[in-house]
Amino acid sequence: KDAILRDVIVVASTLSLFGSVFILVCYVLFKELRKFSYKLVFFLALSDMFYSFFNIVGDPSMGNFYYAQGYSTHFFCVASFLWTTTIAFTLHRTVVRHKTDVEDLGPLFHLYVWGTSLVMTIMGSIGNDYGLGLWCWTKVSQTGKVVRFITFYAPLWGAILFNAFTYFQVIRMLRNATRMAVGMSDHTYQFDSRADMKAINRWVYYPLILIFSWAFGTINRIHDFIRPGKHLFWLSVLDVGTSALMGLSNSIAYGINSSVRRAICERINIWPERFRRWLPAIKLRVQESELVSL
């Protein structure tokens, strides 16, 4: 069973690793993406990349080196979901509060994300003599499991609730503004607004990424805390599989936006025809309602 769990982690983490690296490469190659809002996506992908990498190379047979990897996965995983809160905060501050000072908050974002991740990782080591990796959970004492809940799952679900509340406010405001604009415009704009609303509604899925990634893990931890030693294999598979796919989900939702697709299409269009004809037709419609930043 451990071998199966190991294979699930490696496969899912490899997909996440490729997705995160793709976003990082796009940021480096396409200068038009180097705006503040996409920098947040860059650091999100960077955290996901390291989290996926340490998931892949982690192995219980590696001894002390494995423990170091466990602390690394904990650190970068916390950093990953904290970066999603900075993206939500930036969008809310720009759209709802109409503030233009978000770029000045960059250093505070780094202090908040990396500092909090470091503190949570150090605190999480209390009572966990076996490390912080996925494989080490069942070996930890009940006190250590409580500490893990406080240092990982509490901030995780706090981030989920914050993102959900923030995106709800942003989406509600944009929907109301769109309806008002439609009411005062002609039929042509009303037709275009359907696509705008579709782009806005995509933001509903952003908070669901963390829920999808960590719902089974949370249930598995609660079950193990209530009934220690009574492991459910199918739940463990869903736990490690969905959590390891977090990087891939983030790269698709946050990274591959209209700006990235447009930049890729522009580069492809300058290729010689003999190369382009082998590629599938790419239809791109850039929606301004995506705010380019996300």
Side-chain angles (χ1 to χ4, degrees):
K1 291 183 178 180
D2 284 350
I4 295 176
L5 292 177
R6 173 66 185 158
D7 292 340
V8 172
I9 293 175
V10 170
V11 172
S13 297
T14 300
L15 294 175
S16 293
L17 181 65
F18 283 133
S20 301
V21 170
F22 174 79
I23 301 304
L24 298 178
V25 170
C26 288
Y27 180 84
V28 172
L29 294 182
F30 305 146
K31 294 182 179 180
E32 60 267 35
L33 297 179
R34 298 174 192 173
K35 301 177 181 179
F36 175 75
S37 52
Y38 206 81
K39 286 182 181 179
L40 301 180
V41 178
F42 170 85
F43 287 110
L44 170 62
L46 187 69
S47 300
D48 286 332
M49 181 190 72
F50 282 113
Y51 171 64
S52 301
F53 171 77
F54 286 114
N55 265 340
I56 293 172
V57 299
D59 192 310
S61 64
M62 289 179 154
N64 293 331
F65 181 65
Y66 169 72
Y67 300 151
Q69 292 170 327
Y71 294 122
S72 300
T73 55
H74 188 276
F75 176 85
F76 287 110
C77 187
V78 173
S80 176
F81 64 70
L82 290 182
W83 278 118
T84 67
T85 63
T86 66
I87 294 174
F89 176 85
T90 299
L91 186 62
H92 182 273
R93 189 170 181 84
T94 303
V95 176
V96 178
R97 301 187 60 186
H98 307 292
K99 300 291 185 178
T100 58
D101 60 346
V102 288
E103 293 192 31
D104 298 332
L105 301 176
L108 290 179
F109 286 166
H110 283 282
L111 180 62
Y112 154 68
V113 173
W114 304 123
T116 303
S117 300
L118 180 61
V119 170
M120 292 297 103
T121 303
I122 294 174
M123 291 178 59
S125 64
I126 300 175
N128 292 311
D129 298 332
Y130 294 93
L132 295 176
L134 289 173
W135 298 92
C136 303
W137 173 266
T138 57
K139 301 178 182 179
V140 176
S141 64
Q142 294 295 87
T143 302
K145 292 175 183 178
V146 173
V147 173
R148 285 292 301 277
F149 272 114
I150 296 174
T151 59
F152 184 83
Y153 288 96
L156 167 66
W157 285 97
I160 292 173
L161 292 176
F162 174 82
N163 289 350
F165 178 75
T166 301
Y167 282 113
F168 170 77
Q169 287 192 319
V170 172
I171 293 171
R172 182 179 62 178
M173 180 174 181
L174 290 179
R175 282 177 176 174
N176 292 337
T178 302
R179 292 192 185 99
M180 292 177 61
V182 168
M184 296 182 293
S185 62
D186 56 19
H187 177 73
T188 302
Y189 181 82
Q190 293 181 26
F191 178 79
D192 293 339
S193 67
R194 298 176 185 175
D196 296 336
M197 290 299 297
K198 184 177 180 180
I200 294 173
N201 291 335
R202 284 184 56 194
W203 293 340
V204 175
Y205 298 104
Y206 290 168
L208 297 179
I209 294 174
L210 288 178
I211 296 177
F212 166 77
S213 300
W214 294 103
F216 293 110
T218 304
I219 296 172
N220 196 21
R221 299 300 177 261
I222 295 175
H223 175 269
D224 183 68
F225 184 81
I226 296 175
R227 302 187 64 186
K230 303 292 183 180
H231 310 305
L232 299 177
F233 178 69
W234 62 270
L235 186 58
S236 296
V237 172
L238 293 174
D239 172 9
V240 299
T242 54
S243 60
L245 285 173
M246 181 178 64
L248 178 64
S249 302
N250 284 335
S251 62
I252 294 174
Y254 290 97
I256 307 178
N257 56 44
S258 62
S259 299
V260 174
R261 297 194 299 270
R262 178 172 55 188
I264 294 175
C265 288
E266 289 174 352
R267 270 63 174 188
I268 292 178
N269 287 336
I270 64 177
W271 289 4
E273 177 63 28
R274 63 178 180 274
F275 296 118
R276 282 189 290 147
R277 66 185 179 183
W278 295 101
L279 298 175
I282 302 177
K283 296 182 180 180
L284 173 66
R285 181 175 182 180
V286 178
Q287 297 297 335
E288 294 301 326
S289 57
E290 288 190 46
L291 299 182
V292 178
S293 63
L294 293 177

